Structures are given as structure tokens and as C-alpha cells.
Amino acid sequence: MTSLLKNVISNTQINTQLVRLLHTTSVCCKVQAGRYRITPKKDFPLTYEMANPPHEIAHRKTWNSWNTSNLQGGLRSSETAVEDVFIRKFVSGTWHNLFVSEIIIKRQHNIIRVAGIVHRAINARKVYFLIGYTEELLSFWLQCPVKLELQTVADKKDVIFKYI
Amino acid sequence: MILRNLDKKCLLKTLERQFANNYATVTEAAKESREEFKALNLKHVKGQVVQKRAPRKLDVLPPRSKQMATDQDWGNVWPGPRTFHPSTVPLPIRQGYVEKGAPPDKYANAELMKIPNFLHLTPPIIKRQCEALKQFCTPWPKNLNTQEKLIENFPIEVTTSNYCLSSPSIRNPLARIVTLTIKVSSLSLKGAMDKFLRLVGERYNEKTDILTIVADRCPLRKQNYEYAMYLLTAVYHESLKVEPWENLKSEADMEYYNWEKNASKKSIEQIFGKPVEEIPNSKMYAEAVSNLMNEGESDYTIAKYGEAVRTLLNLPKTA
């Protein structure tokens, strides 16, 4: 017991000496996620989604994932989040360079609705194929009906909200 | 090392041979179209004109909303829940926030696609669906028109909850809980009320006279419902039971003081020489005595008792 006390006392003495050596800085409250820097030429295109930073969610823009898992008492929130990431990756890879908006995932009961705006860069037949392909594979993997509800634009510039 | 390298070389050679055999048929077929291939022109040497194919124009139909008749049936256009589509909805909707100027319009507006819409539930459609559902409904019994009659005829109320959620499974563990409520006065418990309340404990609400049984220990709703009903029957029959030793209950074993059955009543009758009903102010005395015995001795109960005795015996009141 005495040896322990001695140890503690000696440690506190060392600490008082160390305090002087400790260098502290003020807290850096920088947040950069989801925000875009202004370019010198002011020619960087932003969609409406990109133009509004994350703190504007539920004020100027809404969530890209709609489900009940993240509500209080919601079930299988982790599974839903992982599935959403998977859907996003699969859709953006399958529709390579075609989606001009974020991929919106809405869940109602067991249906998953994947929505978004697609650039009309490929012909209609290919679009139909890709819709069927995506729906079929996703519903096979996720074991629930998946619906792809798309809107098309002729030009990528149609979705641009502003340039910074 | 040398041996190993030799082995590798041998392997590679055999692999090459295999590939050559496999693709032999392909190469023969491709020989015919070989002349159409152009030489690779990486450095863009002059003389070789690279023909640029003009981008094929996709013919896009005009928005569907422009071809719609004004008196069309909207339920056929938008039969079920669906993400907003600007060319189908003939409404000049805008959504979004712009510091100066009008909000973005409906074309290429992702915000409108995110939010849930009720375009499939317009008032005429709801009316139509209700009409279609009417054939599966039965009329409400005419005699059950008041709340009192409902409680009288259906004293047991069973409450369960269903949960809607967005997940591939419709199961929710909270859906198993069954709450059973019953007005205790609707049970025919005459002498057994005291025993019933002792068995039931906190589940009984004195103010509303309602017994609540919550069953949530079984995994399924049906099991919980059956368990709650079992509990109710068991408690009811258990409280109706009378054991032989209960008849041995003496005055000292009583839960509360009942003046009507006690010596105090007899002694009064003896003093006055007539039954209690004919003695003036006997009711007040009875109340004072039972309060004193049931609530315990306090300044208030003792004072009340004294007052009752004085009025009963026609004694002068103290100042």
C-alpha cells in the first residue's frame, strides 16, 4: 500500500513538471463534408443537391434515403444502411456515367423504389434493358421487389443549379 | 532455380498451344472481314481522315401531360404509389429554394422525386376504393348504439398493435403484446371481490374500476391472447374458491372493522333497549366508531367519536 502511494505521489510530481511541456491549440471546428469550394473561374457546376450543404437537409433539401429504420424504435437500421450503400454502388456502376442526380432510395413496406435522373445518352432499348436488369438482380439479392423509377434529361446541364 | 524456370517455360508453351487451338476457328472467320479494319493511327498522321459519326438524334416524345384529355380519369393515369414524374403530372409544381427568383420547376427536379406523394389518393379515387370495399363490410348492429350497451354486452376489451415498417420483413416483436381490459363490476364477484383484488394487485385501477392484464411473455400474439384469457379465468375461479378454514375467521382476523357485526352495536342495543334503527343519532355514532377503528387514533377521529357519544347520550357539548 505504501509503495503504491509513493508511486502515485511521484507520478503527480512528474505530471506537474510535464504540464509546462504540453502544447495545446484551440479546437478546429472545420467541417468540409458535402461542401464545395468556389473555383477561380466560377465554372464548377453544382446540382441543387450539391449546392445545399448537409445542414440544409430537412430545410431546403431532403434525405436521399427514405425508410423507417432510422426512426426511434426502427428495426434493422444497420442492414438497411448497408443495403443502401450496395444499391447505390450497383446502380451507379450499372448505369455508368448516366445518373446525373443522386440515387434516391425509398422504402415502403417491402418495396424498394430506386429513383433518379438519367442522362439520355443511350437509346431507349438499352435503357429498358438496364431497368429490367437492375430490378431483377437487385430484387434477387435483396429478396424484395425493387422498382426503378427514372426521369430522363436530354442534357447534363439540365440538372445544374448554379456554377461556383 | 534453373529447373523451375524450365518448368515455367514448358507450361507457357503448352498454354500458348492451347489458346491457339481454341481461337483457330475464330481467326478463320475473322479473316474475311480483315480488310475492313483500319490501321491504328495513334499519332494522327495526316492523310488518314477519321470519319466522325454524327451523333444519332434520339426522337423523344413530347410530355404525356400535353396529350392528356382534360376530362380523363386520373386514377388510370396514376393507379398506385409512384415516384413523381414531371411529364405525367399536368401540374405546374415547383420545389426548392432559390435566394432570388422562382424555385426550380418540376423538370429534372430531384427534390420532387424524393418526397412521398399522394397523387394516387385523390378524393374521387378514395371514394371509388371505399365503394369497392363496401361489399366486404357488414352493417353495425342497430341496438349497439351507445357506449354503455357496448360495455355491457362486450365487457372485455383486447388491444393489440400492428406496425408498418419499411423492411423486407413484416414482423415486429412489439406486435406480440396483448392488453386485456375489463370492468371488474361486470364480473359476478360478490363475496370474492376482496380475494380477487388481492390476487390482481396493481393491475386494478380503483378510480375507473378497470382491470388491465398485459401479456407479452410469449413470442406470438395468439399465444399471448390465450395466456391473458387464461389468466383472467384462473384469477376469477381462484377468487371464488372458499377454503374450509375460512369459516374459522374470527373478529380479530377481519381486514377492517365492521360496526354492524361488532360488540359495539350489541352494547348500544342493550343500553337503549331497542334495535339500532330506532335509536336517534346511532348512524353518526356507528360512523365515528368505525372511522376510529379503521383509520386509527388521531385527534380528528377521537374528537369525532367524543362528539358522537355526547349526541347519542344527550350530554351537553364541551365548550
Side-chain angles (χ1 to χ4, degrees), chain A residues 48-49 60-64 66-68 75-76 104 106-107 109-110 113 115-117 120 122-123 149-151 153 158-159 161, chain B residues 56 58 60 81-83 85-86 96-99 104 106-111 113-116 164-168 171-173:
Chain A
Y48 185 82
E49 171 79 26
R60 289 188 196 172
K61 67 175 185 181
T62 36
W63 297 267
N64 284 322
W66 283 72
N67 55 59
T68 61
L75 300 172
R76 61 193 299 287
I104 302 155
K106 298 185 284 184
R107 287 159 184 264
H109 305 304
N110 66 339
R113 293 174 192 281
I117 303 172
R120 248 179 257 146
I122 53 175
N123 59 23
E149 289 168 342
L150 304 174
Q151 190 189 139
V153 287
D158 289 358
V159 290
F161 180 64
Chain B
R56 197 192 296 159
L58 303 167
V60 181
R82 204 191 147 199
T83 306
H85 200 281
Y97 175 83
V98 185
E99 270 176 43
K106 60 179 180 173
Y107 287 100
N109 193 338
E111 292 304 305
M113 300 176 80
K114 286 181 197 173
I115 53 168
C164 285
L165 35 122
S166 60
S167 90
R171 312 277 168 228
N172 191 323

Side-chain angles (χ1 to χ4, degrees), chain B residues 62-204:
Chain B
R64 190 183 166 188
S65 57
K66 286 186 181 168
Q67 298 168 340
M68 286 173 179
T70 47
D71 58 342
Q72 66 174 335
D73 183 11
W74 177 249
N76 292 340
V77 179
W78 203 280
R82 204 191 147 199
T83 306
F84 180 84
H85 200 281
S87 60
T88 315
V89 182
L91 301 169
I93 301 168
R94 287 171 173 273
Q95 165 101 18
Y97 175 83
V98 185
E99 270 176 43
K100 284 173 188 172
D105 70 346
K106 60 179 180 173
Y107 287 100
N109 193 338
E111 292 304 305
L112 276 173
M113 300 176 80
K114 286 181 197 173
I115 53 168
N117 64 61
F118 289 91
L119 291 165
H120 60 292
L121 289 178
T122 49
I125 302 300
I126 291 174
K127 204 176 266 177
R128 195 196 294 168
Q129 289 177 355
C130 288
E131 286 297 322
L133 283 174
K134 255 185 191 170
Q135 55 176 315
F136 302 110
C137 303
T138 49
W140 185 259
K142 273 179 191 169
N143 296 330
L144 278 179
N145 43 9
T146 57
Q147 198 67 28
E148 290 80 51
K149 278 185 189 172
L150 262 178
I151 293 169
E152 190 194 328
N153 289 294
F154 301 96
I156 295 180
E157 200 171 282
V158 178
T159 316
T160 54
S161 303
N162 290 318
Y163 293 86
C164 285
L165 35 122
S166 60
S167 90
S169 163
I170 56 167
R171 312 277 168 228
N172 191 323
L174 294 175
R176 78 184 192 284
I177 299 169
V178 173
T179 311
L180 186 148
T181 52
I182 184 170
K183 239 190 159 80
V184 176
S185 58
S186 61
L187 295 169
S188 51
L189 291 161
K190 274 168 198 164
M193 188 66 180
D194 178 58
K195 249 184 264 174
F196 186 81
L197 295 188
R198 274 163 194 270
L199 283 172
V200 156
E202 284 177 353
R203 293 169 191 86
Y204 176 68

Side-chain angles (χ1 to χ4, degrees), chain A residues 73-133:
Chain A
L75 300 172
R76 61 193 299 287
S77 53
S78 59
E79 285 94 332
T80 308
V82 170
E83 279 172 16
D84 281 6
V85 170
F86 174 73
I87 292 170
R88 292 226 160 79
K89 289 206 167 193
F90 178 75
V91 171
S92 56
T94 308
W95 298 73
H96 180 71
N97 213 8
L98 288 173
F99 264 84
V100 288
S101 73
E102 303 291 315
I103 293 156
I104 302 155
I105 301 168
K106 298 185 284 184
R107 287 159 184 264
Q108 293 167 335
H109 305 304
N110 66 339
I111 294 180
I112 301 178
R113 293 174 192 281
V114 180
I117 303 172
V118 172
H119 181 211
R120 248 179 257 146
I122 53 175
N123 59 23
R125 189 186 281 185
K126 284 183 184 171
V127 173
Y128 285 133
F129 168 75
L130 280 181
I131 288 173
Y133 174 79

Side-chain angles (χ1 to χ4, degrees), chain B residues 1-15:
Chain B
M1 279 299 284
I2 300 159
L3 272 172
R4 264 190 206 166
N5 278 341
L6 272 173
D7 276 350
K8 271 187 189 172
K9 274 183 185 174
C10 283
L11 254 173
L12 281 174
K13 271 183 184 174
T14 49
L15 270 176

